[in-house]
Amino acid sequence: MKMLRLLIPFFSLAIAAAQPTSQPVPASTLPLREGWALQSSAKVTATGEVIASASFEASDWIQADVPTTVVAAQVKKGLLPDPFFAMNLRQYPGVSYPIGNNFSNVPMPPDSPYAVSWWYRKEFTLPAAYAGKTVWLNFRGINYRANIFLNGKQIANTNDVAGAWRTYEFNVTSAVKPGANALAVQVWAPTEYSLAITFVDWNPAPPDKNMGLWREVYLSNSGPVALRHPTVLSKVDSPANDAAHLTVAALLKNGSDHPVKGTLKGSIENVDFAQPVELAAGESKDVVFKPDQYPHLNLSHPRLWWPAQMGTPNLYDLRLAFEVNGELSDESRTKFGIREITSEVTELPLNRSKRVFKINGKNILIRGGGWTPDMMLRETPERLADELRYVRDLGLNTVRLEGKLETEEFFDIADQQGILVMAGWCCCDFWEHWGNWKDEDFEIAKSSLRDQIYRLRSHPSLVMWLNGSDNPPPPDVEEMYLKTEADLLWPNPVVSSATANRTTVTGGSGVKMTGPYEYVAPSYWSVDASRPSEQQSCSPAGCGGAYGFKTETSMGPAVPPIESVERMVPKDHLWTADGSLDEYWSFHAGGGSFKTMHVFTDALNARYGKAGSAEDFTQKSQLMTYEGVRAMFEAYSRNKYTSTGVIQWMLNNAWPSMIWHLYDYYLRPGGGYFGAKKALQALDPVYGYDDHSVWLVSSQYVDAKGLKLTARVFNLDGTQKFSKDVTLDAAADSTAKVFELPPVDGLSPAYFLDLRITDAGGKLAGSNFYWLSTKPETLDWTGGNWFATPTKSYADYTSLAQLPKVKLNVSSRSERKGSSEDAVTHVTVENPSKTLAFFVRLKLDKGKGGEEILPVVWQDNYISLLPGEKREITATYRASGLGAAKPEIEVSGWNVK
């Protein structure tokens, strides 16, 4: 259990993110990061050949670092106002598309400053060590088309460079020169007919459609032959897991104009292997070492890679080197994990199917969140480490990338920390408009997949690849995708799409994408799963419940705490006289069918009483999101392996948003975060909304014996109405119904259920605290649509307002965590009163009245304390974030003075 909640230092993760382990970056690599200049082609009359000359003057251009999109560079320089505050983004030139529309499908306005190409220019000095070497120019991502010029020569045109998800490497040996060099790139934005980048209905898009050099640019050198994309693929003898069979592969590229003979050598710890290779002039060739031909690649008792909740994510070192006539031409040093991921698809009635995933022969219930990068594709290693630290703290085992295929640093951290990644193409733009594809689009899609599979196949964290999202590709495209994946030895399961739609090529997907995405009552997830769903057709409002594999779903909006709302909504728009949310709130909701939050707001006002202020509304929102997110994850956990996976839509946001996240853009965790964390604890006592039962779910992979489960029911006035203790064992990765709560007389309209698990030594091992209503909450199964199931009658929690105010005793002490850069504050909070202290929020500030310390990992939060109860809770954070201030605890709550 300690392993499950391992506190990984923020700083250590940030350092790890800055040290890639998967993409070999030799010491001879020259990053082309600082000192770029950008300018619109509307203001430049010179040709590319002239711009890429040493004599060209770019004194009035925008100075920038790469990677950057055009708009991101303008924002950084203060040329455009903060796009995240209020409705500033709507004032940007080129932003005339209707609010809530998917800009990727809309033509760029002809008068937009981004309707023309933009120039990126960079001067650099070639290191003396590059003399006599083959020199390679790398672009890890260009959006969307480009002409590239180096020292007055064009090395690529818009036929060569097209596609946001392609990577490019050019042999520029004949174009570079000793000393000063000049590079110029002319970039065009994607159109509505481009295989580019879309945010669907998650958030607005910037007016440049994220045009530019949005990933790294660098130079590298080699001998006549370069070594690329090293990988190790493994087969594991399960269930004993006492042997593994490794396949090693790499791509060799002959950069010379003559044939080359050489030897590819490799080593994995004390295992060495080698293979002679011949390459024709300019040839690229995949070279493979198979275990049946190289017996040393059959390992006994390997150290397996496991997701964090299942074991240790062990990594090995791989060194590959290509030698020509005994001289080193190129080498790579990477890490890999030994594991095998498989899946089994079970056919169900009504033409449906269910997919179960296994890691090294053991079942795993996929529980994850949908990831998005920043709206302008800005990223830092520190923030990346912070967000993946949140993933581990939550207890999630998976992150889903719908088309937003992250950086090498992202996958390196996922490998190191044992976080699974579910990757694939995106929906809702030209990527799924297959009927409009031309021959060039088909080739761009093929090249994009090839580049990404090469990039991702070496990472043990990759659990699957989805060839489609909201729809499976047509047969010709699916067959092309499958062949490309097979040719490149993709080792993991491939799923046709995120939906249950069958294909003529691969049959049932084994997954479903049936909603909801809008607010639903907490009971939805278990009640829908208990309906005879496997024997009946899904209605628009049903079949989203906890069975099968749900690739994306949500209980709806996730309004952040008031501090975040105040950073995106102007003060004079925080609240209206009638309590409605105005256009500023809605602008920070979603797009498409999610442009307002009225369904969520109506439910909140009915269940908890009409909100009277922005502060009141945001506090009640944390309650709604906590109970809703917890109910979703717990229903899927309780029903494993009738349920096989669920992805919360979403994990994070690309900009400050009111919907779909577990923590907000400012890295502030709210109610949904802690509801999810509670549902994902290793030993989770669960309340069943469908039959008032109490369950115990074990998400750990060891047996737990001699446990005691205690259930207590309390009235609003604190009187105990029911109590029961049960002694039990919990098998590894198990779920068990322990008992049903009997009818209890004399309950208040709102009452509480306290569930606690203690281990054989009497130590608390898991807990849950539910607020429940005597008024049944019923759902309208006939009146829904693809994103919501309406509520016929709401639970009544308005009596919670009657809880007497409580004054808590609070103390704290802070310390540094050993030699790490983390600090820890221990907070002791005690309820000395005879009244429940409900939904208590702990906040750590930079001194009294200062800003909240973020990011922060709370052991627990939004807690409830019974009369006389005392708890110690820790908060871990980056010490450097404090500056000269001292940490100060701020306590608030539903009924806290």
Side-chain angles (χ1 to χ4, degrees):
M1 288 180 64
K2 289 182 180 179
M3 173 191 70
L4 295 172
R5 289 290 184 226
L6 182 63
L7 289 177
I8 305 155
F10 286 106
F11 180 76
S12 300
L13 265 177
I15 294 297
Q19 298 176 337
T21 59
S22 57
Q23 179 67 20
V25 182
S28 56
T29 292
L30 177 66
L32 302 181
R33 186 178 301 117
E34 297 88 7
W36 287 81
L38 278 66
Q39 188 56 275
S40 168
S41 64
K43 298 180 180 180
V44 180
T45 58
T47 65
E49 288 82 1
V50 172
I51 296 171
S53 64
S55 61
F56 184 80
E57 291 288 339
S59 57
D60 59 342
W61 289 30
I62 302 168
Q63 302 303 302
D65 295 338
V66 164
T68 185
T69 65
V70 172
V71 165
Q74 292 175 308
V75 170
K76 186 175 182 179
K77 282 296 180 181
L79 302 175
L80 294 170
D82 178 5
F84 291 168
F85 180 67
M87 298 179 69
N88 285 351
L89 183 62
R90 296 300 300 179
Q91 310 308 315
Y92 278 30
V95 178
S96 58
Y97 63 91
I99 292 177
N101 276 28
N102 185 347
F103 188 35
S104 60
N105 294 325
V106 177
M108 192 173 285
D111 60 348
S112 169
Y114 314 105
V116 299
S117 61
W118 278 68
W119 285 100
Y120 283 65
R121 187 179 186 276
K122 163 75 175 169
E123 293 183 3
F124 63 91
T125 301
L126 192 70
Y130 278 52
K133 300 283 190 177
T134 304
V135 181
W136 307 90
L137 176 60
N138 286 266
F139 294 87
R140 303 303 292 173
I142 300 176
N143 192 22
Y144 181 76
R145 294 183 184 271
N147 289 323
I148 302 174
F149 301 85
L150 180 60
N151 294 328
K153 299 178 182 178
Q154 184 164 5
I155 62 172
N157 60 37
T158 54
N159 293 322
D160 306 313
V161 180
W165 294 104
R166 294 176 63 187
T167 60
Y168 303 94
E169 183 171 61
F170 301 103
N171 185 340
V172 295
T173 308
S174 62
V176 293
K177 57 187 182 182
N181 291 260
L183 173 64
V185 184
Q186 185 181 17
V187 182
W188 280 265
T191 73
E192 65 273 28
Y193 303 110
S194 296
L195 297 171
I197 301 168
T198 180
F199 288 100
V200 197
D201 49 11
W202 314 348
N203 50 263
D208 65 345
K209 297 192 176 186
N210 279 317
M211 70 184 297
L213 305 183
W214 69 284
R215 285 268 166 91
E216 297 81 2
V217 181
Y218 60 89
L219 286 169
S220 63
N221 70 67
S222 69
V225 175
L227 191 160
R228 300 291 183 259
H229 308 302
T231 191
V232 178
L233 317 173
S234 49
K235 293 287 185 181
V236 178
D237 290 350
S238 297
N241 292 336
D242 54 357
H245 315 283
L246 309 185
T247 297
V248 181
L251 176 68
L252 296 179
K253 301 175 67 172
N254 183 2
S256 72
D257 58 2
H258 55 80
V260 173
K261 293 183 179 180
T263 303
L264 180 60
K265 298 181 177 181
S267 63
I268 300 170
E269 295 189 343
N270 61 347
V271 175
D272 297 321
F273 44 94
Q275 182 176 157
V277 180
E278 296 185 20
L279 295 165
E283 181 184 9
S284 295
K285 179 186 290 186
D286 289 297
V287 180
V288 180
F289 297 87
K290 296 182 179 180
D292 56 343
Q293 298 169 335
Y294 297 85
H296 291 319
L297 295 177
N298 296 289
L299 304 186
S300 296
H301 304 289
R303 304 186 306 274
L304 297 181
W305 185 94
W306 294 96
Q309 291 85 355
M310 299 180 74
T312 303
N314 292 298
L315 294 173
Y316 284 76
D317 293 309
L318 168 69
R319 180 183 183 268
L320 290 178
F322 190 73
E323 296 180 357
V324 179
N325 297 324
E327 296 289 330
L328 180 67
S329 181
D330 203 4
E331 69 172 338
S332 68
R333 297 177 184 269
T334 57
K335 292 186 180 293
F336 70 94
I338 297 177
R339 95 292 185 267
E340 184 175 5
I341 297 179
T342 59
S343 67
E344 298 174 358
V345 177
T346 303
E347 294 296 329
L348 301 173
L350 299 174
N351 215 25
R352 289 182 293 204
S353 57
K354 178 180 70 173
R355 187 182 294 262
V356 179
F357 283 83
K358 295 177 180 287
I359 313 287
N360 302 326
K362 293 186 178 182
N363 285 346
I364 181 170
L365 176 67
I366 299 294
R367 298 183 296 186
W371 174 276
T372 179
D374 173 79
M375 187 182 80
M376 292 178 287
L377 307 181
R378 301 169 299 182
E379 194 168 271
T380 66
E382 185 177 82
R383 184 179 175 96
L384 194 60
D386 291 341
E387 295 204 54
L388 290 178
R389 177 64 185 89
Y390 275 171
V391 172
R392 279 289 302 269
D393 178 63
L394 279 159
L396 297 171
N397 57 31
T398 303
V399 171
R400 181 184 170 196
L401 309 181
E402 185 187 349
K404 314 301 181 293
L405 306 174
E406 271 293 341
T407 62
E408 273 73 21
E409 289 82 3
F410 176 97
F411 296 107
D412 289 340
I413 297 175
D415 293 344
Q416 295 159 13
Q417 301 305 325
I419 299 170
L420 295 171
V421 181
M422 174 181 172
W425 295 130
C426 196
C427 81
C428 309
D429 70 345
F430 203 62
W431 275 104
E432 291 197 351
H433 299 169
W434 298 286
N436 295 327
W437 281 16
K438 296 181 172 60
D439 290 345
E440 183 195 34
D441 302 312
F442 194 91
E443 291 303 317
I444 292 173
K446 182 178 179 179
S447 296
S448 300
L449 180 65
R450 186 177 184 85
D451 291 346
Q452 296 303 321
I453 294 297
Y454 261 138
R455 195 167 72 90
L456 303 181
R457 67 180 184 176
S458 65
H459 290 281
S461 55
L462 268 292
V463 66
M464 72 184 88
W465 176 267
L466 277 68
N467 280 330
S469 180
D470 288 20
N471 296 280
D476 59 337
V477 177
E478 186 177 16
E479 288 170 351
M480 177 269 287
Y481 283 164
L482 291 169
K483 184 178 187 307
T484 301
E485 290 147 2
D487 288 348
L488 299 187
L489 307 179
W490 176 253
N492 308 311
V494 174
V495 184
S496 59
S497 76
T499 73
N501 295 337
R502 303 176 68 87
T503 82
T504 58
V505 178
T506 53
S509 67
V511 301
K512 63 178 183 176
M513 200 187 85
T514 48
Y517 301 89
E518 183 56 272
Y519 175 77
V520 290
S523 60
Y524 169 88
W525 309 98
S526 54
V527 172
D528 188 48
S530 67
R531 299 162 71 227
S533 305
E534 293 188 0
Q535 305 297 326
Q536 68 181 30
S537 297
C538 290
S539 70
C543 297
Y547 62 90
F549 191 118
K550 193 68 166 294
T551 57
E552 55 183 70
T553 195
S554 172
M555 57 70 61
V559 177
I562 186 63
E563 297 87 351
S564 292
V565 173
E566 289 174 338
R567 291 188 64 176
M568 58 176 121
V569 177
K571 187 175 182 179
D572 56 344
H573 289 272
L574 275 176
W575 202 244
T576 60
D578 62 357
S580 61
L581 306 180
D582 71 10
E583 69 274 16
Y584 284 82
W585 288 74
S586 295
F587 186 60
H588 287 267
S593 300
F594 309 100
K595 293 192 289 289
T596 71
M597 296 186 291
H598 70 89
V599 175
F600 179 87
T601 304
D602 291 347
L604 181 148
N605 289 331
R607 299 171 92 241
Y608 290 102
K610 187 174 177 61
S613 66
E615 291 80 4
D616 187 27
F617 178 76
T618 54
Q619 183 185 49
K620 289 174 177 175
S621 294
Q622 306 319 305
L623 276 168
M624 286 262 288
T625 311
Y626 188 114
E627 60 168 344
V629 172
R630 177 177 62 180
M632 180 191 74
F633 276 119
E634 287 190 335
Y636 273 85
S637 299
R638 188 194 78 173
N639 290 355
K640 65 181 175 185
Y641 283 93
T642 298
S643 62
T644 59
V646 60
I647 302 296
Q648 150 72 21
W649 208 251
M650 303 176 65
L651 172 71
N652 61 348
N653 290 136
W655 84 320
S657 178
M658 305 286 183
I659 67 168
W660 299 342
H661 62 251
L662 295 181
Y663 55 87
D664 67 29
Y665 183 81
Y666 307 110
L667 303 184
R668 178 173 283 110
Y673 184 103
F674 294 101
K677 183 172 179 175
K678 188 62 71 173
L680 298 168
Q681 60 190 319
L683 290 174
D684 185 26
V686 174
Y687 170 71
Y689 286 91
D690 54 341
D691 60 1
H692 311 292
S693 55
V694 175
W695 295 65
L696 179 59
V697 175
S698 171
S699 297
Q700 56 190 23
Y701 282 76
V702 294
D703 296 340
K705 297 184 180 297
L707 303 173
K708 184 173 79 171
L709 188 155
T710 299
R712 291 178 291 175
V713 175
F714 295 93
N715 253 351
L716 203 61
D717 61 5
T719 57
Q720 182 172 300
K721 304 296 291 183
F722 173 83
S723 178
K724 184 170 184 175
D725 293 336
V726 176
T727 301
L728 72 167
D729 299 332
D733 189 31
S734 65
T735 179
K737 184 175 181 177
V738 183
F739 60 88
E740 290 187 11
L741 292 171
V744 178
D745 294 330
L747 289 175
S748 53
Y751 63 98
F752 307 102
L753 172 64
D754 181 66
L755 300 177
R756 304 193 185 199
I757 289 285
T758 53
D759 63 18
K763 184 179 179 180
L764 187 68
S767 66
N768 241 321
F769 192 84
Y770 297 86
W771 49 102
L772 302 170
S773 171
T774 55
K775 182 184 176 185
E777 198 150 35
T778 59
L779 297 159
D780 180 4
W781 297 108
T782 62
N785 51 40
W786 63 273
F787 58 85
T789 298
T791 304
K792 274 186 178 179
S793 63
Y794 291 105
D796 183 2
Y797 296 117
T798 56
S799 60
L800 290 172
Q802 300 170 13
L803 283 170
K805 293 294 182 182
V806 172
K807 181 175 175 56
L808 301 176
N809 297 331
V810 181
S811 62
S812 67
R813 59 182 176 85
S814 299
E815 61 184 1
R816 292 289 288 268
K817 281 190 63 182
S819 60
S820 81
E821 289 298 311
D822 280 1
V824 179
T825 295
H826 303 263
V827 182
T828 300
V829 56
E830 181 183 13
N831 178 11
S833 76
K834 297 181 180 180
T835 300
L836 170 75
F838 182 54
F839 214 60
V840 178
R841 179 191 177 192
L842 305 175
K843 190 157 78 80
L844 194 62
D845 298 334
K846 300 175 185 178
K848 190 171 184 178
E851 291 184 355
E852 185 174 1
I853 297 172
L854 296 172
V856 59
V857 171
W858 283 100
Q859 184 182 20
D860 197 2
N861 213 327
Y862 291 95
I863 63 172
S864 294
L865 295 170
L866 298 174
E869 185 175 7
K870 177 171 31 175
R871 289 185 61 183
E872 181 180 293
I873 297 173
T874 61
T876 306
Y877 49 94
R878 190 177 291 109
S880 59
L882 273 174
K886 292 184 178 180
E888 184 80 14
I889 292 297
E890 184 179 341
V891 181
S892 60
W894 183 265
N895 62 325
V896 175
K897 288 184 181 179

